[in-house]
Amino acid sequence: MRIAIFASGRGSNFSAIARAIKKGKIPVKLALLVCDKPQAAVIAKAKRAGVKVVLAKTEEEILRALTEHQIDLIALAGFMRILSPGLVQKYKNKIINIHPSLLPAFKGAKAIEDVFNYGVKVTGVTVHFVDELMDHGPIILQAAVKVEENDTPQALEAKIHKLEHKLYPEALRLFAAGRLEVAGRQVKVTNR
Ligand code: GRF
């Protein structure tokens, strides 16, 4: 199985996934980083890890790269661009995303800030399949984080990221092992 990671920013999830693959924890080949921002820090991380980087500005370029590199699984990790319904259909239940809240609460690009400002006491991380709507597809895994009274936004963000770096590799491991069964909105983790 060949995986492409799509990212536009810092790339801490890219690094966590790359590390897990290198350690043999996820039986996939990390074939590609697709990035839409030439200045993104994730590009240097991919190069250092020996992962091919495709800087893509249009969806045609993205599709071409996916076909050329025979990609079976796409992991979105801070990719700040909405994929078209056509691409989502073509890779149905083969595109996974991570979101820094307990969906369906706090969708959108500023979730951690929004969580903090709202004053909730429990938040978390969601890994889900991607469908045509933003932060919406069938949920694979979720994990919770307590918001403590003395947490700053930065402290909360650090806790969320730490959890993301465990949860995302775990979800990808289950996918690669053929252990995720999707029926409608329900995702079952099988024992096989
Ligand atoms: C993560 O918080 C992820 O949940 C969200 O974008 C952020 C990416 O962070 N989708 P990084 O670039 O992996 O450090």
Side-chain angles (χ1 to χ4, degrees):
M1 187 175 286
R2 295 168 63 80
I3 182 175
I5 298 178
F6 285 26
S8 308
R10 197 169 60 137
S12 70
N13 282 282
F14 172 90
S15 296
I17 296 165
R19 215 175 309 124
I21 292 173
K22 198 167 172 204
K23 283 189 186 159
K25 291 187 179 169
I26 314 172
V28 293
K29 160 90 182 150
L30 177 43
L32 208 58
L33 168 73
V34 173
C35 183
D36 59 340
K37 299 255 162 57
Q39 311 303 340
V42 67
I43 293 176
K45 289 180 176 156
K47 287 190 174 157
R48 232 177 294 132
V51 175
K52 163 108 184 137
V53 177
V54 169
L55 200 55
K57 277 165 224 85
T58 66
E59 207 167 84
E60 287 86 75
E61 288 173 322
I62 294 176
L63 275 164
R64 209 175 313 129
L66 295 176
T67 307
E68 187 185 326
H69 294 273
Q70 298 174 310
I71 299 303
D72 310 292
L73 169 63
I74 297 167
L76 308 183
F79 192 57
M80 301 309 285
R81 205 188 142 116
I82 307 283
L83 302 176
S84 75
L87 198 154
V88 170
Q89 266 310 312
K90 183 159 186 214
Y91 290 88
K92 190 171 162 60
N93 294 339
K94 290 179 180 164
I95 310 177
I96 295 178
N97 183 43
I98 187 156
H99 183 77
S101 77
L102 291 176
L103 289 174
F106 301 104
K107 295 176 181 176
K110 299 192 287 84
I112 301 177
E113 194 186 322
D114 292 345
V115 160
F116 190 85
N117 291 337
Y118 199 93
V120 298
K121 305 295 188 194
V122 177
T123 181
V125 172
T126 303
V127 181
H128 65 94
F129 285 108
V130 170
D131 68 6
E132 286 79 2
L133 303 176
M134 190 181 65
D135 300 330
H136 179 267
I139 291 172
I140 301 168
L141 295 176
Q142 287 187 309
V145 163
K146 265 193 177 177
V147 185
E148 306 289 351
E149 265 165 36
N150 53 3
D151 270 348
T152 58
Q154 293 72 24
L156 178 61
E157 193 174 343
K159 284 198 279 191
I160 292 282
H161 286 311
K162 196 166 169 214
L163 191 57
E164 287 186 335
H165 301 159
K166 278 205 279 188
L167 206 69
Y168 211 173
E170 173 61 8
L172 296 174
R173 183 181 77 78
L174 293 170
F175 182 96
R179 291 183 54 194
L180 299 181
E181 258 178 39
V182 193
R185 287 205 56 85
Q186 312 304 320
V187 181
K188 258 195 220 154
V189 178
T190 65
N191 282 322
R192 168 156 77 88

